[in-house]
Amino acid sequence: MELIIEATANERPTSVSRAVQLLFASLAIGLIRALFGLTQRASGAPLILAALIVIAVFCLGFFLVWKISVRRNWARIILLVLVLINLPFAVLANVAELKQSTHSGALSIFIEVILWLGTYLLFTKSSNTWFRSRK
């Protein structure tokens, strides 16, 4: 009986699996979108430098989500703080982008929504139990 309870406690809940999938999707779409946007605004050495910075920032995001997927509670807390800090800036940027281009603005809003949904799923009851039961 104890083995069954222990195995269940160690199994990743669906909410965490879905959150990790949504967060990885948000990062992947965001990275592609950011690199595409850079190619339209810059060229030559400034483009290369900007692309390296964008890739480095997104690599940190992928690292954070990977740590979340292997049950590191500190990683989900850092993600929550970053998402909350980003919230007012994202809303303002998305409104401005919608005024310039409906398609680009809608894509930005879609990326933000899946980011927020993924973050929310990391703090559901089953997710909290899984992160806290780490030995």
Side-chain angles (χ1 to χ4, degrees):
M1 190 66 149
E2 289 178 22
L3 293 175
I4 294 171
I5 294 170
E6 186 175 323
T8 305
N10 286 327
E11 186 176 319
R12 183 188 304 164
T14 305
S15 59
V16 175
S17 296
R18 294 282 183 252
V20 168
Q21 291 169 347
L22 288 170
L23 293 170
F24 274 134
S26 172
L27 285 167
I29 297 167
L31 177 60
I32 293 167
R33 185 183 173 289
L35 291 174
F36 180 72
L38 280 177
T39 60
Q40 292 181 339
R41 292 185 179 95
S43 63
L47 172 64
I48 293 171
L49 180 61
L52 289 175
I53 293 169
V54 166
I55 290 169
V57 169
F58 276 91
C59 283
L60 288 174
F62 282 111
F63 174 77
L64 198 58
V65 175
W66 171 64
K67 285 299 188 181
I68 289 168
S69 73
V70 293
R71 199 188 261 184
R72 298 295 188 259
N73 193 47
W74 60 263
R76 83 178 173 140
I77 300 300
I78 290 173
L79 178 74
L80 177 64
V81 169
L82 292 174
V83 167
L84 290 175
I85 290 171
N86 179 56
L87 181 62
F89 301 106
V91 170
L92 293 174
N94 290 340
V95 168
E97 195 164 355
L98 269 173
K99 290 178 182 177
Q100 288 181 348
S101 168
T102 307
H103 292 90
S104 182
L107 182 59
S108 293
I109 291 171
F110 175 72
I111 292 168
E112 288 295 323
V113 168
I114 61 176
L115 172 67
W116 296 336
L117 182 58
T119 304
Y120 167 76
L121 289 173
L122 290 176
F123 290 90
T124 60
K125 185 177 180 179
S126 61
S127 298
N128 287 334
T129 303
W130 185 70
F131 278 103
R132 290 187 181 126
S133 67
R134 183 171 178 259
K135 291 184 179 182

